[in-house]
Amino acid sequence: MTPNTPAFSLRLARDEADLHAAQRLRYDVFVRELGGDGTLVDHDAGLERDRFVPWFEHLLVIDEARAGAVVGVYRLMPPEKRAEADQYYSEDEYDLSPLRATGRRLLELGRSCVHGDYRGGAAMFHLWQGLGAYVVEREIDVLFGVASFHGTNIEALKAPLSLLAARHLAPPDLRVRARSYQAMNLVPVDQIDRVAAMRSVPALIKAYLRLGGFVGDGAFIDHAFNTTDVCLVMDTARMSESVTATYTAGAR
């Protein structure tokens, strides 16, 4: 796939064909590219999926100039779907009691990815815009979800994890905690090369931080998926007006 002039559109997955297109893209990124796996991953069909499939909605970025190819995806679990599923995906890794105790409307985000040929361009921006519209329409207060560093070598990740813990730890009312706890404050603050450490932080996590996001307490090592996860939390009430305007542009 070599895009020339993408013509992007956005929609929620509306049928099994859309869902399979999203799962094929996730398989390409998370399994083929990053080496992930899982008990329900369908290697024969090339589909990345898990037991939460029935309860997530899938936001798709589509390149209409490429025969309607799905080139970006976000999966979303609003409160109503969580009630049906009886738990969020993230609850396997993090204690979300502080978020639920707020009584506010929560939205879980996950499995965000963009086709390799579209990274660094407008596709991710369209995903964010679509997410902003969804948040406004569903009257969401707090967004959260796990985001990943590739690999499980904590020694290699100690600087960026320490930087996140030192500078971006969630306030107490939003501070979820890893169940299988991996400490993140592994390097004294005055010994962190902040520029180098931030360079090692995945682009998606940096995007959340720019929007005013926080990280929970502790990382979770996901050996099956070959990742080290952090839980990101964004409170729409704490986001600055300028950030909110950019994030939700065109949402109303």
Side-chain angles (χ1 to χ4, degrees):
M1 189 180 294
T2 307
N4 294 315
T5 307
F8 294 122
S9 64
L10 277 163
R11 71 165 184 265
L12 292 176
R14 56 196 180 196
D15 54 29
E16 190 172 19
D18 281 349
L19 178 59
H20 283 180
Q23 292 172 339
R24 279 193 295 272
L25 176 59
R26 297 202 322 243
Y27 188 92
D28 286 343
V29 173
F30 295 122
V31 181
R32 289 197 176 103
E33 185 177 336
L34 298 178
D37 201 356
T39 57
L40 296 182
V41 171
D42 188 336
H43 294 286
D44 292 333
L47 302 176
E48 191 281 305
R49 52 192 179 189
D50 59 24
R51 63 189 176 92
F52 290 92
V53 169
W55 299 290
F56 272 99
E57 297 186 311
H58 293 75
L59 177 65
L60 310 178
V61 174
I62 297 160
D63 185 356
E64 301 292 353
R66 295 288 167 178
V70 172
V71 299
V73 63
Y74 236 130
R75 72 176 195 175
L76 316 170
M77 186 185 287
E80 298 78 14
K81 292 292 185 179
R82 193 272 179 196
E84 296 176 19
D86 200 36
Q87 75 160 94
Y88 289 111
Y89 169 86
S90 304
E91 288 182 282
D92 282 345
E93 300 186 6
Y94 282 84
D95 179 1
L96 303 181
S97 300
L99 300 186
R100 293 202 307 274
T102 66
R104 302 170 72 196
R105 285 182 57 78
L106 309 178
L107 175 67
E108 182 176 43
L109 314 175
R111 295 293 200 273
S112 171
C113 62
V114 173
H115 189 285
D117 290 340
Y118 291 79
R119 292 173 198 162
M124 193 67 212
F125 176 78
H126 277 74
L127 266 182
W128 283 109
Q129 292 290 299
L131 180 58
Y134 186 100
V135 166
V136 170
E137 179 182 332
R138 305 295 179 94
E139 299 182 325
I140 299 298
D141 298 311
V142 178
L143 301 83
F144 71 95
V146 296
S148 304
F149 288 82
H150 180 50
T152 59
N153 182 351
I154 294 300
E155 181 66 21
L157 298 174
K158 65 182 183 180
L161 290 176
S162 298
L163 181 66
L164 294 181
R167 301 188 65 185
H168 300 285
L169 185 64
D173 60 315
L174 301 177
R175 193 175 300 168
V176 301
R177 181 179 170 88
R179 295 187 184 278
S180 182
Y181 189 86
Q182 167 59 56
M184 294 171 62
N185 53 340
L186 304 171
V187 179
V189 176
D190 59 358
Q191 295 179 26
I192 300 172
D193 181 336
R194 294 186 178 184
V195 174
M198 187 55 73
R199 193 179 299 125
S200 300
V201 174
L204 180 63
I205 296 177
K206 285 189 277 197
Y208 282 119
L209 299 180
R210 284 194 295 270
L211 287 171
F214 306 103
V215 297
D217 180 16
F220 181 93
I221 301 175
D222 188 342
H223 291 284
F225 227 67
N226 192 33
T227 59
T228 298
D229 299 342
V230 296
C231 190
L232 289 153
V233 182
M234 287 191 296
D235 181 350
T236 59
R238 286 177 164 101
M239 292 167 66
S240 70
E241 290 185 9
S242 60
V243 166
T244 304
T246 300
Y247 173 60
T248 59
R252 293 188 183 276

